[in-house]
Amino acid sequence: MDSQRRKILRSTLALSAGSLVGQTTLAGGLGSSAPPTGLRRIAIEEAFATPELFEQWQTVLADPASHEPGFKALYRPFLNSPATRPIRDRLLDLGELRLNDMKNAGVDFQVLSITAPGLQVFSPAKATSFAQKTNDRLAEVVQEHPQRFAGLAAVAPQAPGQAARELERAITSLGLKGAIINSHTQGRYLDDKYYRVIFETAQALDVPIYLHPRTPSPDMMAPYSNYGLEGAGWGFAAETSLHAMRLILSGLFDELPRLKIILGHLGEGLPFWLSRIDSRFANKTWTDLDSSGSLRRLKKAPSEYIRDNFYIATSGMHWHPVLMFAHSVIGADRLLFAADYPYESSAEAVRQLDSAPMSDKDKKKIYQTNAESLLKLSTSIS
């Protein structure tokens, strides 16, 4: 057994033998503690939308030629149901309502990003145009509330060269802090070298890309459709963890070793699988050939790329056992706080992390200092 797998096994055994066993329920979490002091809570996966985005989504939904079965299954009811109206209102609000929700929950700062699937259901031209308009609007909001908001840029992977240029504009001219991409783009995945310029630009700018979930690709939707499995309850994590594994096994991080990717929802299940992934892909080779015609091997075990190139956000996973498992195998330096507003309760997210059985030092890293370092947020913001 190699040292990496031994480390994972030791962490797992220590966790299972510790205080979590037999003391935690889905409803209540583990124990309680006083809220940590001397920190600010920065939530980094907090969604917004624009009226124009909703209008254009309705156009896609009405188009019989659009081959987006997952999008149609999930978003047709979402955009039209009275039950989801409070969420839609909060997605559109970038002022008083959102700020009050933050205050009431104890969240000091949100990193805003366009809600899934964003622009990735549009044509390349429309998506590129919308990216520019959306980023301009996001930058205006950040300028209006610099002590409460930062932003991740929307880009249109449908047109990779233009997406890379828009990312550069968003960072250098608009002051945004990274980018968000909502998994596959009309069934196409980012390990395809067609998209490499986007990653090259992100590494050159030293900014992260948030790989956010969306419904499974058109070719994969059928098994998910019968029971509503395409959404956040299952399909989102299955889709995004698959996408992350494709990036790792493609050799992307050997080519771009300083590239940084954020995964939400405590890593979309990947921390749980680290040992098995390493053992099953111990001799994994790339699928393409080098200049000599030989298959090329990855330089590291898959779990090493997850630890070295990925950050894991807590969004929507407000439960002590999974939080502490991720803490044990990924480490506090790679965890980021997120509420997944307005889809999840910010107050519950804060309550669960405040009362988690870890040191205040680690809580401050997760709430604040990791995000400040990764996104280059001003420490003067209060």
Side-chain angles (χ1 to χ4, degrees):
M1 182 182 294
D2 61 32
S3 60
Q4 192 65 40
R5 291 188 66 202
R6 283 196 297 270
K7 180 179 179 181
I8 295 170
L9 182 58
R10 284 196 302 270
S11 297
T12 304
L13 290 173
L15 181 65
S16 64
S19 61
L20 290 178
V21 175
Q23 297 187 37
T24 309
T25 66
L26 278 168
L30 171 71
S32 64
S33 65
T37 59
L39 56 76
R40 59 187 177 128
R41 298 181 182 90
I42 300 171
I44 71 154
E45 188 189 318
E46 317 310 307
F48 80 97
T50 64
E52 295 79 13
L53 178 66
F54 282 174
E55 290 172 8
Q56 293 302 316
W57 278 0
Q58 293 283 21
T59 300
V60 174
L61 292 172
D63 182 0
S66 172
H67 187 45
E68 282 281 352
F71 173 66
K72 291 182 176 181
L74 192 62
Y75 287 89
R76 183 176 283 116
F78 173 72
L79 291 177
N80 296 289
S81 170
T84 57
R85 180 64 182 268
I87 296 176
R88 298 198 305 272
D89 288 346
R90 283 167 167 77
L91 285 169
L92 295 172
D93 186 279
L94 291 167
E96 184 177 356
L97 177 59
R98 182 179 293 254
L99 290 168
N100 283 338
D101 285 348
M102 291 167 61
K103 180 180 179 180
N104 292 335
V107 172
D108 300 297
F109 194 86
Q110 283 189 348
V111 181
L112 305 172
S113 54
I114 193 169
T115 195
L119 317 174
Q120 288 167 247
V121 296
F122 302 143
S123 69
K126 180 181 286 188
T128 298
S129 175
F130 259 74
Q132 295 168 354
K133 294 175 183 177
T134 302
N135 293 335
D136 287 342
R137 173 60 183 142
L138 179 54
E140 290 173 1
V141 172
V142 171
Q143 290 169 6
E144 290 168 5
H145 302 283
Q147 293 186 328
R148 292 293 176 260
F149 298 138
L152 298 178
V155 297
Q158 299 93 313
Q162 291 167 291
R165 289 191 291 274
E166 178 59 17
L167 175 58
E168 183 172 11
R169 183 184 80 94
I171 303 304
T172 61
S173 297
L174 301 182
L176 302 183
K177 301 301 182 179
I180 188 162
I181 297 178
N182 296 286
S183 198
H184 70 88
T185 302
Q186 300 174 9
R188 199 168 183 181
Y189 288 84
L190 292 166
D191 57 290
D192 192 320
K193 291 194 175 181
Y194 176 71
Y195 301 108
R196 198 56 49 92
V197 65
I198 300 173
F199 291 124
E200 291 170 348
T201 302
Q203 177 174 272
L205 293 167
D206 192 28
V207 295
I209 292 177
Y210 207 122
L211 186 64
H212 189 275
R214 64 171 299 195
T215 52
S217 65
D219 289 343
M220 299 174 64
M221 258 299 294
Y224 292 89
S225 60
N226 297 83
Y227 302 104
L229 289 168
E230 69 276 355
W234 188 258
F236 278 15
E239 163 64 30
T240 313
S241 58
L242 167 68
H243 201 150
M245 285 301 299
R246 291 182 66 94
L247 296 181
I248 291 167
L249 296 176
S250 74
L252 172 67
F253 301 104
D254 288 342
E255 293 183 32
L256 301 173
R258 293 182 291 105
L259 180 63
K260 292 171 283 193
I261 304 292
I262 305 172
L263 289 176
H265 315 105
L266 285 176
E268 311 293 358
L270 288 176
F272 180 83
W273 286 92
L274 291 187
S275 179
R276 182 155 177 82
I277 289 169
D278 280 355
S279 69
R280 295 303 89 195
F281 289 96
N283 298 309
K284 180 65 181 178
T285 55
W286 292 11
T287 56
D288 59 343
L289 303 178
D290 64 19
S291 57
S292 67
S294 301
L295 287 168
R296 295 182 286 184
R297 296 183 182 276
L298 296 176
K299 294 180 180 179
K300 299 186 290 189
S303 67
E304 293 180 82
Y305 297 102
I306 291 174
R307 288 191 174 88
D308 294 344
N309 296 96
F310 286 77
Y311 287 78
I312 306 300
T314 64
S315 48
M317 299 292 281
H318 312 313
W319 188 32
H320 286 157
V322 290
L323 171 63
M324 296 310 297
F325 181 81
H327 179 271
S328 73
V329 298
I330 301 297
D333 291 340
R334 289 280 167 167
L335 292 175
L336 302 161
F337 173 69
D340 209 352
Y341 177 94
Y343 300 102
E344 302 278 354
S345 167
S346 297
E348 178 64 9
V350 168
R351 188 181 76 82
Q352 285 293 315
L353 184 50
D354 276 2
S355 63
M358 67 176 71
S359 69
D360 283 358
K361 179 180 178 181
D362 282 357
K363 289 177 186 178
K364 185 168 184 176
K365 289 180 180 181
I366 297 168
Y367 267 134
Q368 177 182 347
T369 56
N370 291 345
E372 287 176 337
S373 176
L374 176 64
L375 301 177
K376 304 178 181 66
L377 300 176
S378 171
T379 55
S380 66
I381 296 172
S382 61

